[in-house]
Amino acid sequence: MSELLIKNAYVIDPLQGIHGDIMDISIRDGRIVDKVSGSCEVIDAAGNLTLPGGIDSHTHVCGTKVNFGRYMSPEDMRAGRTPRRGAMYPTSGYTVPTTYGNSYRYSKMGYTTLLEGAMAPMEARHTHEEFAATPMQDMLANTLFDGNWSLFEAVGDKDIRQAAAVIGWTLAAVKGFGIKLTNPGGTEAWGFGEDLASIDEEVPNWDITPREIIDTTIRACELLHLPHSVHLHCNNLGMPGNYRTTLETLDIPGDMNPDRQTLYLTHVQFHSYGGNTWGDIKSEAEKISDSINNKPQVVIDMGQVMFGRTMTMTADGPMEFRLYTLHHNKWSNHDVELETGSGIIPVYYSRKSSVNSIMWAIGLELALLVKNPWQCMLTTDNPNGAPFVKYPEIIGLLMSNKYRSKELSQVHKLTTDRTSLGSIDRELSFEEIAVMTRAGQAKALGIINQGKGHFREDALADIAIYPVKPDQTDPSLQYEEVIGAFQQTLYTLKDGVVVSRDGEVITGVANRTFWSKANLPEDMDVLKSPRFVEKFSRFYSVDLENYLVQDEYVQRGVAMNTGVNS
Amino acid sequence: MQVTLTMKPRAKPFLPIEAEMINPMNFIGSQNLFVWEGNKKRRLEDIFTVRKEGNVNSPENIVVVLRGDTSRVKRVGEYMSSGTIIVEGDIGMHCGNFMRGGFIEIQGNADGWLGREMRGGSILCHGNAGDYCGSGYRGEKRGMRGGKIEVAGNAGDYLGEYLTGGEIHVHGNAGMFAGAEMRGGCLIIDGDARIPAANMAKGTCIIHGEIHEMLPTFEKIGEKDGMLVYHGDVANKGKGELIVKSKIT
Amino acid sequence: MFHIEDKVRHIVCPYCGCLCDDILVELTDGRISGVENACTLGAHKFLDDADNRLKGPIMRKGDQWVDISYEEAIAYAVQTLSEADRPLLYGWSGCVTETQAIGAHLAELIGGVVDSTTSVCHGPSILAIQEVGHPGCTLGQVKNRADTIIYWGSNPIEAHPRHLSRYTNYADAYFLHNAFRERKVIVFDVRKTATSEIASEFVQLEQGGDYHVLSALRAIVRGREDVVPDMVAGVPKSQLIRVAEMCKKAKFGALFFGVGVTMTGGKYKNIRNAIEFVDELNRHTKWTISPMRGHSNVYGSNEVFTWITGYPYAVDYARGIAFYNPGETTAVDILARKEADAALIMASDPGAHFPRTCCEHLAKIPTILFDPYPSATTHLCTVQIPCAVNGIDAAGTAYRMDGIPIRTRKFLETGYPTDTSLMHEIYEQIRERKEHV
Ligand code: SF4
């Protein structure tokens, strides 16, 4: 039995309605308890901000495409090299660091849980191998279904039960967590070099539309009672005028789940563009946030862009090709048979560019115009908008109008006319930031009951203590202190163990992988469907028996049981 | 001030030595300097006999002389911004990486990556230069960006790859793919070259000797001072200039 | 006499980058007695396995080999590697990723260089990809969609025998009615090969002319055939124009290239040009390009080294941080310059593939070879340690040439230790030793 007491913590725990009380936190065997014995080890938080461990609900840190971003970029690798220090292995890379680089840097910022945004089922083993080498965080893998042929057949048949059967089987087969749709239908069209321009355009060779894919998948997800909702990267990412597609998509789902949203839209910044060309692009963040403010069933994340060098990587193959024709930098593409696609190109977001400056402003507008912080998560779609190490700066921008105005004065001058950022004076509170970086994620992902995102009794003791005293700090003026505080915790605890302190990782731990195990009735067993099985023998290039991800890859897996109501 | 570094005999003479601290600036004052021999960190004095003569004032008045078999000593003059380095024999790889100013003279041959990603200053090599002279780093889009490299002998393959600014002048022959991916600057080869200027985007490449295996994707524009002027690389929508002696083999 | 017979299915063939996973193995009395679905190359490796294995570790004493125990062999490796000033850890392509990962960490622990056989096969492809990226796809994508296939400098019929039947020409395709008849195969090579015999178009080019032909094709696709001369590296312009048209008309094209392009003059520039040719074609229709990786899990070594060190091969940890520069940190270069003072060779055969100067140096320094079978490298090494064979009596992760991770299957119990467990033991012992110093 190991015990630990954190004293004098300035606790914000939005899920429990604790709004900044000085209190003690007791930990036994990695979990929050009511009380510990008097003789245990004590950490004095000295009135510093103490939050549940950070959760990133949309990041790209592990798997085939992330690793290809590393593989093709020795110039990026040399930018962030550190040698072995204590328990830390050496690291390399800045925009796409090595797995240990990601893991240590997130840990030092207080993050203990990460959701990898895009795992192709067929390449799941790769993601899981990298999860094992990302030791400081518990991991979840959103699984790509945007071009899944078996799902398409169910959509074509308007058979929600069959769609649920395919999704349930696949998640369990590849140890995936939730459903990710990336440019639904578009990645399949890209198989022959095409894309779709609207959610009502038919997917070539398939009698279905993105709207139908989205709608059926949402219904199947709810039928399965998956912890997380459908996680959607809308069609038309990055196209001027794409806000119309986004608004249409927002109208698809009703409110189907009392515990969480019914649809999670990711990196909405990239989907809130007005105008018709790169020349007249402007923000439509107001229209998008109006729609979200009227739809409690929707949660978004920002996908904030920050200036500097980064790497874009997404399952959205056609989008990356369009980007390549603009930038002419290196371009990688990787289609995955019967399932999805992907693309990677490096980019440089410049303050001198009107387009990049407008993108920067739109992300902030969204976070400030969406009224309810539980509906807007703080992300950069790491590393697409910026590497996650920029999160503290984004927090500074959201908490301080002064800092924002200062930055706005230094970006391309068209930004003031083409966005509303200059006219917004809202400043977010520490509590709102806590919602947007952990509590909101725990709720949106449906992992509150796994002990994530709060300090209720029996919760996992994942804790971040930041060197800032909220009751003595005015973030509006002291934004630099706030940014510094979020860059490096005093202590990060995972499962009750101090894993990093003052920016140094001091011990290695073993992480978990959460995955969804759908328990399905016999009539939903896809392996009894000849059409499903035939796909493996005729069109996949691996045997069904070798497709299944073995238990070796989730040695510390936590199966989240779900299923249909019988 | 003159600093003379003379190589001591070594138990394993083939081990590479990484010595980016051999940079005139670092010899002001008397801090301990370290180099790496294989995977071991050594004091500069373990590897070299160090003799200092004269008074220290500013780095531009410092001359560092390397003596003995320095062919395995890498990264000499990296990030150097002023002063002089004279290598009496051969020098190892990456000499003058990221150099911004000052002067390096190599009396023997230079190994690969001489003046990689150089920004300014000048390098004079009396012997031959290895592969990737004046080039960039793996995956990087820019090679040498400024300054001048002069090679009296021959240069290896991939001379001036991704050359972006500054001038490289090779008096002898170049290996294959000289000036590949050039995006600026000027590359002059007095001798022969094989497959030069491949995929060039911008800049000027002048070859006075024979060209072997000229690429089929350069467009003849005209003649200038008895030389033929080509534009290309057309495969790449390139706007570079390749100027060659009239006879092409 | 009574025989115990058994059939095991869905076995993964660990002998080439195709990583066929549909092999059926027949066992009689615990020995492999039959193999179905594999090509002759793969089948032979399975069938001949048992007779070729070294019984246990051996050490050179003078000009004799003596048997030693696994403990002694490990102790020798631990001492040699932890004392070296420039240890080289080379090979890895026959190992599972679990072993490769330990190798990457070991290199860091001892300040060594870790490199895989990549550096003598598709290293140039990686250099090219690092310059311009890689538009690729999984092999099933080609199988289901491709109507036009180019093999450039590769002869799959001999090197990757089932590539054509599983993934390209003879494979079933979802989007083609009569796949075999509708598909066009174009072969570029300097000589006639078994694969060029089945091609619908054979482009025979001069040795070392790949770069020129690719540049000309790019210019033609870009509408600048006016600058292209009548003959390019032995190929008539008219043929190039015809081929460029075929490529543009494809609905889905797939270009596969082999060591015939990566290892001839120009090396990575050839690959870069091929990639940029494919980039250009993507402005017209869909094209992908893929290297024909040779050794079963060579791609796995690139993947693992990348997520651990940041670089796919040739990683130098001499100074505790990862440094990468092929041409400098590659095994062949380090040996040719006589830098290495100790070497660990993992399941590969530099003795058969490296230049002579490199082999001579390997013979001079302490060299520890992990290989189940005697090989040309046996003659160079000081100690050889046989271990279980990945895919027969050991299991683990391997990455197919297109990046698909597959778990190989263990179907025999032989008693040999796995290279994963041996490497783990070496790593732990060295780590403890370092902590005590
Ligand atoms: S093609 Fe390669 S992997 Fe397939 S059976 Fe033959 S040797 Fe084995």
Side-chain angles (χ1 to χ4, degrees):
Chain A
M1 190 176 75
S2 74
E3 290 188 332
L4 180 70
L5 180 68
I6 300 173
K7 280 172 97 155
N8 303 319
Y10 183 101
V11 175
I12 298 178
D13 179 353
L15 281 165
Q16 287 204 89
I18 300 170
H19 309 296
D21 298 349
I22 298 286
M23 52 195 283
D24 297 348
I25 301 171
S26 303
I27 299 160
R28 183 180 309 123
D29 294 335
R31 294 199 174 248
I32 306 288
V33 291
D34 189 32
K35 248 222 218 68
V36 282
S37 59
S39 60
C40 75
E41 198 190 321
V42 176
I43 289 174
D44 186 356
N48 283 300
L49 176 65
T50 303
L51 302 175
I55 302 173
D56 199 332
S57 54
H58 190 99
T59 181
H60 300 281
V61 283
C62 292
T64 308
K65 121 177 98 29
V66 179
N67 212 36
F68 210 84
R70 299 178 185 120
Y71 180 101
M72 67 189 248
S73 317
E75 76 283 9
D76 184 59
M77 285 304 146
R78 69 171 174 171
R81 291 178 295 163
T82 56
R84 175 188 282 256
R85 267 204 315 268
M88 293 164 77
Y89 286 119
T91 70
S92 304
Y94 168 65
T95 68
V96 257
T98 51
T99 55
Y100 294 99
N102 275 325
S103 198
Y104 300 152
R105 290 172 209 173
Y106 260 121
S107 184
K108 136 177 171 180
M109 284 166 50
Y111 278 78
T112 53
T113 310
L114 304 177
L115 176 132
E116 162 54 48
M119 172 174 86
M122 198 174 169
E123 296 169 339
R125 258 174 291 266
H126 185 162
T127 306
H128 290 294
E129 282 211 286
E130 288 196 38
F131 278 2
T134 309
M136 318 304 291
Q137 286 82 25
D138 290 336
M139 306 299 288
L140 310 97
N142 261 357
T143 308
L144 293 157
F145 286 95
D146 37 78
N148 187 297
W149 290 4
S150 297
L151 178 66
F152 280 9
E153 285 161 1
V155 172
D157 295 349
K158 303 197 185 329
D159 186 343
I160 291 159
R161 236 178 127 73
Q162 178 63 12
V166 169
I167 291 166
W169 178 85
T170 307
L171 290 178
V174 305
K175 310 293 188 271
F177 171 70
I179 302 168
K180 173 75 181 297
L181 297 176
T182 293
N183 185 1
T187 57
E188 163 63 27
W190 179 238
F192 284 116
E194 282 158 48
D195 195 4
L196 303 174
S198 101
I199 58 170
D200 293 309
E201 191 179 332
E202 236 172 54
V203 183
N205 302 307
W206 301 86
D207 240 0
I208 56 171
T209 63
R211 180 192 296 279
E212 289 163 344
I213 300 172
I214 296 165
D215 186 58
T216 307
T217 310
I218 289 173
R219 288 171 199 282
C221 178
E222 297 312 316
L223 183 68
L224 283 168
H225 297 98
L226 289 179
H228 185 35
S229 69
V230 165
H231 193 114
L232 175 62
H233 154 146
C234 290
N235 302 80
N236 280 330
L237 182 145
M239 302 278 268
N242 64 7
Y243 79 101
R244 287 186 210 91
T245 305
T246 312
L247 288 177
E248 283 168 22
T249 308
L250 279 164
D251 284 337
I252 295 176
D255 192 350
M256 297 169 67
N257 193 309
D259 297 324
R260 53 147 172 81
Q261 76 286 352
T262 307
L263 180 62
Y264 181 109
L265 284 197
T266 187
H267 41 69
V268 176
Q269 176 277 129
F270 291 110
H271 303 273
S272 304
Y273 303 158
N276 297 306
T277 65
W278 295 110
D280 69 356
I281 186 174
K282 60 176 182 163
S283 168
E284 294 291 358
E286 284 179 312
K287 293 202 179 92
I288 299 286
S289 36
D290 278 351
S291 170
I292 293 160
N293 287 335
N294 287 313
K295 295 189 175 65
Q297 68 270 33
V298 174
V299 165
I300 67 164
D301 71 60
M302 295 164 68
Q304 176 65 18
V305 156
M306 297 293 275
F307 301 111
R309 188 160 60 80
T310 198
M311 188 80 69
T312 65
M313 47 176 66
T314 162
D316 197 341
M319 190 289 291
E320 290 284 358
F321 181 70
R322 280 198 300 274
L323 210 55
Y324 160 71
T325 58
L326 292 174
H327 289 253
H328 278 284
N329 208 327
K330 8 181 166 182
W331 168 56
S332 288
N333 175 79
H334 183 71
D335 300 351
V336 181
E337 64 204 60
L338 290 80
E339 293 182 350
T340 184
S342 76
I344 312 171
I345 81 157
V347 294
Y348 185 90
Y349 295 117
S350 164
R351 286 170 200 273
K352 293 193 192 121
S353 143
S354 60
V355 173
N356 294 167
S357 298
I358 290 166
M359 292 165 83
W360 169 83
I362 293 175
L364 298 173
E365 282 184 283
L366 288 169
L368 296 164
L369 293 172
V370 170
K371 290 187 185 131
N372 180 358
W374 295 89
Q375 282 184 273
C376 182
M377 306 296 112
L378 191 155
T379 68
T380 57
D381 184 18
N382 166 66
N384 285 292
F388 64 85
V389 290
K390 298 271 191 184
Y391 286 3
E393 282 173 53
I394 300 171
I395 292 174
L397 288 165
L398 296 176
M399 294 185 86
S400 166
N401 194 10
K402 188 170 167 223
Y403 180 35
R404 223 153 51 215
S405 311
K406 194 181 125 213
E407 289 292 295
L408 186 57
S409 70
Q410 286 168 21
V411 303
H412 194 281
K413 57 183 187 322
L414 279 178
T415 315
T416 333
D417 296 343
R418 305 264 185 95
T419 78
S420 69
L421 188 65
S423 63
I424 306 174
D425 51 17
R426 182 176 172 196
E427 293 183 327
L428 299 187
S429 64
F430 280 108
E431 169 138 7
E432 286 170 314
I433 295 298
V435 171
M436 293 169 71
T437 54
R438 51 265 288 157
Q441 277 83 353
K443 181 168 181 233
L445 298 178
I447 52 173
I448 293 173
N449 292 337
Q450 302 294 323
K452 288 283 183 183
H454 55 85
F455 293 141
R456 278 181 209 153
E457 208 174 326
D458 209 34
L460 295 169
D462 292 356
I463 302 169
I465 308 176
Y466 295 99
V468 58
K469 300 188 167 83
D471 48 359
Q472 297 167 26
T473 310
D474 178 0
S476 178
L477 300 173
Q478 294 165 275
Y479 54 85
E480 280 172 2
E481 276 108 300
V482 172
I483 293 171
F486 280 106
Q487 277 168 344
Q488 191 169 302
T489 60
L490 288 171
Y491 297 89
T492 304
L493 284 82
K494 182 159 180 301
D495 295 309
V497 177
V498 178
V499 290
S500 96
R501 205 184 153 175
D502 298 328
E504 291 279 313
V505 167
I506 55 178
T507 181
V509 284
N511 61 354
R512 306 179 180 80
T513 301
F514 292 101
W515 60 280
S516 294
K517 184 176 183 194
N519 301 297
L520 300 173
E522 219 169 293
D523 70 302
M524 286 177 77
D525 182 356
V526 287
L527 298 184
K528 298 221 168 77
S529 148
R531 192 166 61 160
F532 185 86
V533 175
E534 191 201 356
K535 225 162 271 113
F536 279 89
S537 56
R538 288 191 59 200
F539 304 119
Y540 266 110
S541 63
V542 290
D543 281 7
L544 173 61
E545 289 74 8
N546 289 321
Y547 182 91
L548 308 170
V549 171
Q550 298 81 351
D551 292 340
E552 279 88 346
Y553 297 89
V554 280
Q555 295 193 10
R556 290 171 303 276
V558 176
M560 296 179 67
N561 282 293
T562 70
V564 297
N565 293 338
S566 41
Chain B
M1 183 176 75
Q2 177 166 326
V3 182
T4 309
L5 304 174
T6 310
M7 280 296 270
K8 292 180 175 174
R10 296 194 289 150
K12 296 178 183 171
F14 297 117
L15 285 180
I17 292 170
E18 292 206 11
E20 69 276 19
M21 58 292 300
I22 299 182
N23 176 339
M25 189 181 74
N26 289 335
F27 292 94
I28 298 181
S30 55
Q31 77 260 39
N32 281 329
L33 298 176
F34 295 93
V35 299
W36 286 78
E37 186 186 29
N39 57 16
K40 307 289 188 300
K41 195 173 179 179
R42 311 256 191 232
R43 289 176 4 169
L44 186 68
E45 294 78 13
D46 295 342
I47 305 289
F48 296 95
T49 311
V50 182
R51 206 176 73 218
K52 292 191 184 182
E53 292 157 288
N55 287 327
V56 181
N57 35 29
S58 61
E60 56 266 30
N61 296 326
I62 295 179
V63 179
V64 180
V65 177
L66 273 80
R67 194 164 285 167
D69 179 6
T70 49
S71 61
R72 295 290 165 127
V73 184
K74 298 182 189 176
R75 297 171 65 181
V76 166
E78 184 171 279
Y79 288 108
M80 156 171 176
S81 52
S82 63
T84 303
I85 295 177
I86 297 171
V87 181
E88 294 187 347
D90 300 342
I91 195 67
M93 294 176 183
H94 304 290
C95 178
N97 274 197
F98 300 106
M99 182 175 175
R100 288 170 188 282
F103 175 55
I104 299 178
E105 181 179 346
I106 300 148
Q107 292 171 352
N109 301 321
D111 208 336
W113 290 279
L114 175 66
R116 158 160 77 79
E117 296 174 271
M118 179 171 171
R119 315 286 217 271
S122 58
I123 297 177
L124 171 62
C125 174
H126 293 281
N128 301 326
D131 296 341
Y132 294 100
C133 173
S135 74
Y137 179 66
R138 303 291 179 193
E140 202 71 71
K141 289 277 173 205
R142 281 184 287 188
M144 175 176 170
R145 297 188 213 175
K148 178 164 185 186
I149 301 177
E150 192 171 345
V151 178
N154 301 325
D157 298 338
Y158 311 108
L159 165 70
E161 188 190 32
Y162 277 110
L163 181 65
T164 304
E167 184 187 308
I168 303 176
H169 188 165
V170 173
H171 294 282
N173 302 325
M176 63 176 178
F177 286 104
E181 331 298 344
M182 261 180 82
R183 2 180 346 183
C186 184
L187 174 60
I188 305 162
I189 300 164
D190 292 346
D192 306 344
R194 227 180 104 205
I195 324 179
N199 215 37
M200 84 189 297
K202 265 193 196 146
T204 306
C205 178
I206 304 168
I207 297 166
H208 294 286
E210 304 282 328
I211 294 194
H212 302 291
E213 299 170 58
M214 168 89 174
L215 285 169
T217 46
F218 278 82
E219 191 174 15
K220 201 194 288 176
I221 298 298
E223 271 184 57
K224 199 163 80 183
D225 308 330
M227 305 273 281
L228 298 178
V229 180
Y230 286 83
H231 278 188
D233 185 335
V234 170
N236 185 34
K237 279 194 201 165
K239 297 187 178 64
E241 235 183 357
L242 174 61
I243 302 175
V244 304
K245 205 178 71 164
S246 26
K247 185 173 145 279
I248 291 176
T249 52
Chain C
M1 214 174 112
F2 183 73
H3 291 290
I4 305 169
E5 287 182 9
D6 201 1
K7 275 187 183 170
V8 278
R9 286 167 204 277
H10 313 296
I11 295 302
V12 182
C13 173
Y15 296 113
C16 90
C18 282
L19 228 54
C20 300
D21 69 323
D22 59 345
I23 311 299
L24 187 150
V25 174
E26 287 172 6
L27 299 170
T28 307
D29 299 335
R31 280 180 67 103
I32 300 169
S33 52
V35 178
E36 275 174 40
N37 292 345
C39 67
T40 42
L41 211 69
H44 271 291
K45 298 266 190 174
F46 276 113
L47 290 166
D48 301 344
D49 163 69
D51 298 332
N52 287 340
R53 297 236 200 157
L54 210 61
K55 297 272 174 305
I58 50 172
M59 182 184 251
R60 193 187 291 278
K61 290 262 162 74
D63 46 13
Q64 296 276 303
W65 286 107
V66 294
D67 293 332
I68 55 171
S69 68
Y70 278 97
E71 289 70 30
E72 288 168 307
I74 298 273
Y76 177 80
V78 167
Q79 172 155 12
T80 307
L81 293 174
S82 48
E83 287 172 0
D85 291 314
R86 193 139 176 84
L88 170 68
L89 313 179
Y90 172 80
W92 307 104
S93 51
C95 305
V96 294
T97 58
E98 290 77 359
T99 312
Q100 294 163 346
I102 304 173
H105 286 304
L106 179 63
E108 178 261 310
L109 188 68
I110 61 175
V113 172
V114 62
D115 190 18
S116 74
T117 56
T118 306
S119 65
V120 291
C121 56
H122 276 280
S125 315
I126 294 178
L127 293 181
I129 287 167
Q130 290 173 336
E131 289 190 356
V132 289
H134 176 200
C137 64
T138 65
L139 290 165
Q141 187 80 339
V142 174
K143 156 189 157 72
N144 287 318
R145 295 175 198 262
D147 56 1
T148 306
I149 289 151
I150 296 179
Y151 284 107
W152 196 310
S154 80
N155 181 12
I157 290 183
E158 263 142 42
H160 299 82
R162 294 182 73 210
H163 197 267
L164 285 140
S165 58
R166 270 173 70 80
Y167 310 125
T168 65
N169 203 31
Y170 308 113
D172 210 354
Y174 184 87
F175 291 104
L176 303 175
H177 292 292
N178 188 336
F180 178 58
R181 251 193 254 144
E182 288 175 54
R183 275 186 178 125
K184 293 192 186 73
V185 174
I186 308 170
V187 170
F188 287 78
D189 216 315
V190 293
R191 65 186 73 85
K192 284 206 175 83
T193 65
T195 311
S196 75
E197 296 292 321
I198 60 145
S200 15
E201 179 90 30
F202 174 44
V203 184
Q204 186 163 11
L205 38 93
E206 284 166 6
Q207 182 79 40
D210 305 86
Y211 194 92
H212 295 70
V213 170
L214 283 160
S215 288
L217 282 169
R218 280 171 69 198
I220 292 167
V221 173
R222 283 196 47 238
R224 290 303 308 273
E225 58 181 71
D226 58 305
V227 296
V228 176
D230 292 339
M231 201 67 151
V232 179
V235 186
K237 180 176 178 179
S238 56
Q239 188 179 23
L240 291 175
I241 292 173
R242 184 168 68 239
V243 169
E245 264 324 294
M246 283 167 80
C247 292
K248 274 161 64 177
K249 281 213 189 89
K251 282 178 83 182
F252 185 114
L255 191 160
F256 294 96
F257 62 93
V259 285
V261 207
T262 63
M263 283 298 148
T264 56
K267 294 186 170 182
Y268 72 99
K269 290 297 176 197
N270 292 342
I271 310 304
R272 177 188 165 130
N273 217 356
I275 293 172
E276 291 197 280
F277 171 50
V278 166
D279 289 349
E280 197 63 51
L281 287 169
N282 269 290
R283 293 169 191 272
H284 301 271
T285 179
K286 178 73 181 235
W287 270 84
T288 63
I289 177 166
S290 309
M292 299 285 279
R293 306 303 299 265
H295 297 92
S296 61
N297 196 23
V298 65
Y299 197 50
S301 72
N302 303 139
E303 294 277 9
V304 181
F305 294 168
T306 298
W307 79 63
I308 292 176
T309 75
Y311 305 104
Y313 68 111
V315 187
D316 183 354
Y317 270 115
R319 297 178 66 169
I321 55 172
F323 176 67
Y324 163 81
N325 192 25
E328 177 181 4
T329 57
T330 14
V332 168
D333 299 278
I334 284 177
L335 291 171
R337 289 196 305 266
K338 305 186 171 58
E339 289 179 18
D341 59 350
L344 174 76
I345 308 294
M346 289 302 291
S348 64
D349 196 6
H353 301 118
F354 277 17
R356 225 179 80 202
T357 47
C358 298
C359 295
E360 282 167 6
H361 188 67
L362 273 178
K364 275 199 201 112
I365 59 175
T367 296
I368 301 145
L369 171 66
F370 274 78
D371 198 322
Y373 315 110
S375 71
T377 307
T378 304
H379 304 294
L380 309 174
C381 72
T382 337
V383 164
Q384 181 169 0
I385 309 173
C387 42
V389 177
N390 166 30
I392 295 180
D393 46 343
T397 318
Y399 286 69
R400 203 167 69 185
M401 60 165 77
D402 56 346
I404 297 294
I406 297 179
R407 188 169 183 82
T408 62
R409 287 167 184 265
K410 171 180 173 172
F411 59 88
L412 270 189
E413 196 61 68
T414 58
Y416 282 99
T418 62
D419 55 11
T420 317
S421 64
L422 294 174
M423 284 305 290
H424 185 75
E425 187 58 37
I426 291 174
Y427 182 88
E428 284 305 318
Q429 286 193 25
I430 294 181
R431 198 175 56 80
E432 274 168 33
R433 224 177 125 113
K434 299 243 163 193
E435 269 167 19
H436 285 125
V437 187

